[in-house]
Amino acid sequence: MQSWDFPPVPVVPGRGPELRLYDTSDRQVRPVAPGSGPGSAATMYVCGITPYDSTHLGHAATYLTFDLVYRQWLDLGHDVHYVQNVTDVDDPLFERADRDGVDWRELGDREVARFREDMAALRVLPPREYVAATEAIPEVVELVEKMLASGAAYVIDGDYPDVYYRADATPQFGYESGYDRETMLRLFGERGGDPQRPGKTDELDALLWRAARPGEPSWPSPFGDGRPGWHVECAAIASSRIGSGLDIQGGGSDLIFPHHEFTAAHAECVRGERRFARHYVHAGMIGWDGHKMSKSRGNLVLVSTLRAQGVEPAAIRLGLLSGHYRADRFWSPQVLDEANARLRRWRTATGLTAGPDAADVVARIRQYLADDLNTPKALAALDGWATDALEYGGHDTDAPRLVAAAIDALLGVEL
């Protein structure tokens, strides 16, 4: 699948500390160590969209989070191998296509194109490999075959011989989320699981391969025609494109369970590994009008709508970065107004012919971002530099240019 264009990223003199991020499974901030020094590879897999609707600010906040990770790694001199999927075959896509009277492929293609446009406008760095689930069917089939052969999966008898993964196939299942069984069952039912499916060994067992039903797309496999379950597609894509030693598995906090827990378990049971990824990183939810922004609730603020209204993507980006990535937070007109004011102020300050020394503020930006992507502190440091530049001036003729380059490279905001 075609990704979007890679925007220019300025090279800023100097080097900051190595990145430290909160790990969901360990419940603490700890170093992300993709290699022993500059030039070493860093790997990241982030779950992509199910393209049945347009990109909203919740999506944008998630992908901005991992864009910041990408930018910190580049600034540290790492080569970055970033993979993202598109779940272009799933029930919500079929349901929306049926509702709108369009082919599910047409709907998916349209919304993926809009997503790419939104990501490019927000200057989100694209993945090296952008993979649709329908492009990875052979990898999914191979992975399911291995799970069946090892006893980690089983086929349900009946008219529709679906294939299920045994939740107890790995002894460490549940370590990523840390949830108890009651919480798992509740979230499993709320987030695409089928705990009441007759014939399952355990209510938590997850669908790997859905046997072909009338009117649904399907692909051939040794265990019957059908299509992939949700979690296994990500396990298959990450394993085939990156392999072992994944540094970061990322996504929104609503994916912690069941999606990321099962994705990790699928890969671990086949590889015989303890951990699918060295770091599990999750972004908080964005709310609007008192509730989490979601397609099911319909309280969406779309990136494309804001852009059509003339809102600068740089202001959208700054508004989302004004809160910490792990915090659940609300979007509002006030957030956007403050972002626009900040953007104007920064542009005025970096447009001066001279300003205060830039070395200290650039070092602090790097320090704050390296400390679990602390964007509120990074933005505050830049606000302080801009205030000094506008109120007191300065004698460093290179400072405005250097600060603007750092804002672009590290925060992705082009002034």
Side-chain angles (χ1 to χ4, degrees), residues 27 52 79 111 150 157-158 260 299 306:
R27 289 42 140 180
Y52 65 95
D79 175 42
E111 295 305 336
S150 70
D157 293 331
H260 281 180
N299 63 332
L306 291 174

Side-chain angles (χ1 to χ4, degrees), residues 238-325:
S239 297
S240 62
R241 267 60 178 191
I242 296 175
S244 298
L246 177 64
D247 288 311
I248 289 177
Q249 179 194 37
S253 59
D254 56 341
L255 296 183
I256 295 172
F257 194 91
H259 186 51
H260 281 180
E261 191 83 66
F262 275 106
T263 296
H266 293 343
E268 289 160 0
C269 78
V270 169
R271 296 181 189 169
E273 294 175 339
R274 172 65 179 78
R275 286 180 71 107
F276 171 61
R278 295 189 182 99
H279 235 92
Y280 299 103
V281 182
H282 296 95
M285 298 290 100
I286 302 299
W288 171 259
D289 195 26
H291 298 279
K292 185 193 87 168
M293 208 171 288
S294 68
K295 294 174 183 177
S296 60
R297 188 175 289 274
N299 63 332
L300 304 180
V301 179
L302 303 179
V303 173
S304 55
T305 299
L306 291 174
R307 291 170 53 214
Q309 293 170 348
V311 176
E312 279 197 75
I316 299 173
R317 188 167 179 123
L318 277 177
L320 291 171
L321 296 181
S322 64
H324 192 271
Y325 82 94

Side-chain angles (χ1 to χ4, degrees), residues 193-231:
D194 55 356
Q196 303 306 317
R197 168 72 153 92
K200 289 171 56 172
T201 301
D202 187 293
E203 291 175 301
L204 280 176
D205 291 353
L207 179 69
L208 291 172
W209 187 258
R210 179 177 166 87
R213 265 74 161 175
E216 293 185 4
S218 63
W219 289 263
S221 83
F223 31 87
D225 291 357
R227 58 182 171 91
W230 180 25
H231 319 304

Side-chain angles (χ1 to χ4, degrees), residues 7 18 32 37 46 53 58 61 88 112 117 187 199 211 234 237 277 283 303 309 324 338 358 361 365 373 376 397-398:
E18 287 288 343
V32 180
V46 177
D53 208 340
D88 64 339
V112 168
E117 291 172 3
L187 293 176
C234 287
I237 292 171
V303 173
Q309 293 170 348
H324 192 271
E338 291 173 354
V361 72
I365 296 168
L373 304 179
T397 56
D398 289 332

